[in-house]
């Protein structure tokens, strides 16, 4: 079985698919986001574990970007710059 990339996976119709096996999301197949980066989806914990080696580097980078953005948004609340 081939593994897919670490970018969001969708078919031509915009339907999302498991980043590991390519299984399409449907009424019976619920795809869950990677909890760290929220960039890719998986159909099962087994697929998430199988894809981890390929996904780990991109996941850490994306998670750090999300954290920095969240920190920036939190810091910006209520802190107006005085001129």
């Amino acid at each position: 079985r081939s593994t897919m990339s670490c970018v969001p996976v969708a078919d031509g119709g915009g339907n999302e698919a498991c980043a590991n096996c390519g299984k399409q999301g449907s009424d019976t197949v619920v795809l869950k986001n990677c909890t760290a980066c929220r960039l890719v989806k998986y159909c099962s914990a087994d697929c998430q574990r199988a894809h981890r080696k390929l996904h780990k580097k991109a996941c850490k980078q994306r998670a750090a970007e999300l954290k920095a953005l969240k920190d920036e948004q939190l810091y910006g609340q209520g802190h107006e710059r005085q001129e």
Side-chain angles (χ1 to χ4, degrees):
R1 149 171 56 152
S2 66
T3 53
M4 303 185 88
S5 66
C6 292
V7 295
V9 179
D11 65 13
N15 297 321
E16 295 177 325
C18 176
N20 185 58
C21 70
K23 189 180 290 184
Q24 297 292 315
S26 68
D27 292 340
T28 57
V29 177
V30 178
L31 298 175
K32 296 180 181 174
N33 285 323
C34 171
T35 55
C37 71
R38 303 201 168 279
L39 189 63
V40 296
K41 295 182 181 263
Y42 298 102
C43 65
S44 68
D46 288 340
C47 273
Q48 187 173 9
R49 278 190 291 273
H51 192 243
R52 183 71 183 144
K53 261 188 179 175
L54 290 174
H55 179 59
K56 187 175 182 177
K57 185 176 180 180
C59 181
K60 282 186 174 187
Q61 182 177 354
R62 172 72 173 161
E65 290 169 1
L66 288 174
K67 183 183 181 322
L69 181 63
K70 185 176 179 181
D71 289 349
E72 185 178 302
Q73 289 171 342
L74 289 173
Y75 179 76
Q77 292 177 352
H79 291 91
E80 291 184 28
R81 294 183 187 172
Q82 294 192 6
E83 296 181 27

